Amino acid sequence: MKNRTGRGGPAAGRTVGDPAGPTIGPTAGERARNGRPWEPGRTAPLLEVEDLSVVFDTARGPVPAVRDVSFRLEPGEIFGLVGESGSGKSTVLSAIMRLLPSVAVTDATTLRFRDTDLLRLDAAGLRSVRGTGIGLVPQRPMTSLSPVTPLRKQLRWFLGDRDPAEVTELLDQVGLRAVAERLDGYPFEFSGGQLQRLLIMLAALARRPALLLADEPTTTLDATVQAQVLRLLLDLRDRLGIGIVFVSHDLGVIAQICDRAGVMYAGRLVESAPVGALFDAPRHPYTRALLRALPSRYTRGERIKVIEGSAAGANRIPGCAFAPRCPRADAVCGEQVPALRTVAGSLVRCHHAEEDAA
Ligand SMILES: Nc1ncnc2c1ncn2[C@@H]1O[C@H](COP(=O)(O)OP(=O)(O)OP(=O)(O)O)[C@@H](O)[C@H]1O
Ligand code: SF4
Ligand SMILES: [Mg+2]
């Protein structure tokens, strides 16, 4: 049976780039060969998400933002989440952190961090998990900081009275040593990339959580700083065995740092697989279309095959949400929601995945 938070719930209401880009770190296969301080598959899961659904109860009717999403994460594993804008990626992360507004109703069979049932935590329990157990790098750094408070004071809210040398050392690890002298400034006096790195520092380094939820942490960064931040995350994973859910639009970054990845469409996970399988043998028509739309696959002057149509309103249509844009759609696709099935080692939500894999 599903557990529920949100209106009337027990804890009131809170409940693609270039895969051929520069190499950031060892691939999942290389890491497996090299050995690591944690053993995937042999340890208890760090995070279990089973049948997670989130509906926003708005004045214009319910918005089913996340629908039956399931995945699990081992310590030391990096799970990528990709999908079009509005597909529900940030909502999944907010649901795990129990940071959704009171208009959100969250349902799940399981939402567990280590031994903790996140859906049943009260306010004090949530405070003890947030930040120290689970860290969140929010998608929009500017709206995550107070615009009317100097950064130094905001750092103190989060870090307490730490030794200034320790703070400088933390800033240095995300390439921000240069701003250590001007922390009395306000957020608008810093670039988006600097604020993004500051939030990565607070979420990932300051308290070293076992689980990091990173919502497009490198989107606003230039290529050099992006590589620096990705190496930092890989280093944390390798040294401390932290698990990371990594949301990105950049398939190149997903290919390079994730062990497994899930593709979301209209609130559902439509394919979930080890990154090698996802990129070499995509099973879902949407995943294939996403990969076909990568600019790196085309030579100069060639016309890029974009995905025709739009995902707007797709979470309200019956049957498969991708049907209006899918070249493979038939009558059954328009009537029945496909179940998630295992096809050649990948989890795929498509009526015709087996036939296409044959
Ligand atoms: N507070 C809210 N109230 C109503 N609807 C919301 C709210 N927050 C998100 N939504 C809706 O939920 C859906 C999923 O939004 P979400 O932000 O999770 O998407 P996303 O995949 O993270 O998109 P992006 O790539 O643009 O960040 C969207 O339709 C969005 O409009
Ligand atoms: S279920 Fe049908 S419409 Fe949906 S992705 Fe598969 S073939 Fe396309
Ligand atoms: Mg988002």
Side-chain angles (χ1 to χ4, degrees):
M1 204 182 82
K2 279 192 171 188
N3 299 304
R4 167 175 288 211
T5 67
R7 283 196 168 162
R14 308 284 145 187
T15 49
V16 215
D18 180 4
T23 300
I24 301 296
T27 62
E30 284 165 347
R31 272 186 276 110
R33 283 194 297 278
N34 293 342
R36 41 190 161 183
W38 37 271
E39 297 191 59
R42 297 199 183 175
T43 40
L46 191 61
L47 176 70
E48 286 177 275
V49 178
E50 198 181 348
D51 306 325
L52 173 68
S53 296
V54 178
V55 178
F56 290 103
D57 189 5
T58 70
R60 278 169 288 139
V63 177
V66 173
R67 303 186 288 173
D68 291 324
V69 165
S70 301
F71 64 92
R72 57 185 265 162
L73 190 77
E74 311 282 341
E77 199 178 20
I78 306 183
F79 181 73
L81 265 186
V82 285
E84 265 169 67
S85 186
S87 58
K89 306 177 299 292
S90 297
T91 306
V92 168
L93 299 194
S94 298
I96 295 168
M97 274 304 243
R98 297 274 315 277
L99 279 173
L100 288 166
S102 59
V103 292
V105 177
T106 304
D107 267 312
T109 307
T110 311
L111 192 60
R112 190 181 296 280
F113 166 64
R114 290 179 163 157
D115 293 331
T116 305
D117 182 347
L118 294 169
L119 285 178
R120 295 194 183 282
L121 281 186
D122 59 13
L126 284 170
R127 275 198 300 278
S128 71
V129 166
R130 289 182 188 141
T132 43
I134 309 177
L136 174 71
V137 181
Q139 183 172 4
R140 296 174 194 86
M142 207 48 149
T143 55
S144 306
L145 293 162
S146 163
V148 294
T149 312
L151 278 183
R152 193 182 302 284
K153 189 166 180 188
Q154 297 193 55
L155 286 183
R156 212 174 296 129
W157 289 342
F158 198 85
L159 299 174
D161 282 325
R162 294 221 191 169
D163 182 350
E166 199 188 330
V167 175
T168 304
E169 165 60 26
L170 286 170
L171 290 168
D172 195 30
Q173 288 189 51
V174 287
L176 286 179
R177 177 178 279 272
V179 307
E181 300 306 316
R182 54 187 192 95
L183 287 175
D184 290 319
Y186 292 85
F188 73 86
E189 296 174 81
F190 296 81
S191 74
Q194 286 172 331
L195 296 178
Q196 183 69 279
R197 278 180 282 161
L198 192 78
L199 290 176
I200 291 170
M201 179 201 97
L202 291 175
L205 297 174
R207 294 198 190 152
R208 309 223 160 158
L211 169 63
L212 184 68
L213 309 175
D215 198 349
E216 306 202 27
T218 56
T219 305
T220 57
L221 308 180
D222 62 65
T224 312
V225 179
Q226 171 172 292
Q228 187 183 351
V229 166
L230 292 175
R231 283 200 193 95
L232 178 78
L233 293 179
L234 286 171
D235 181 53
L236 281 174
R237 188 278 316 276
D238 287 340
R239 280 191 297 120
L240 307 174
I242 69 167
I244 305 175
V245 181
F246 190 96
V247 170
S248 180
H249 283 111
D250 190 333
L251 285 171
V253 170
I254 294 279
Q256 287 187 42
I257 78 156
C258 294
D259 299 291
R260 289 181 302 119
V263 180
M264 288 192 71
Y265 189 82
R268 292 198 174 100
L269 260 184
V270 295
E271 181 161 3
S272 178
V275 284
L278 198 75
F279 284 91
D280 295 344
R283 303 290 175 196
H284 194 280
Y286 176 60
T287 315
R288 288 200 204 115
L290 265 187
L291 292 173
R292 264 202 309 271
L294 282 177
S296 59
R297 305 212 160 180
Y298 296 84
T299 53
R300 197 181 177 85
E302 239 186 321
R303 199 180 172 84
I304 296 173
K305 288 187 183 138
V306 295
I307 310 175
E308 299 293 342
S310 127
N315 52 4
R316 293 175 192 272
I317 64 172
C320 173
F322 191 56
R325 305 170 79 185
C326 181
R328 187 80 171 76
D330 61 12
V332 76
C333 302
E335 289 161 10
Q336 292 170 25
V337 176
L340 204 57
R341 294 195 303 272
T342 303
V343 179
S346 299
L347 280 169
V348 193
R349 200 182 271 283
C350 171
H351 290 301
H352 301 296
E354 282 95 347
E355 299 139 55
D356 290 348

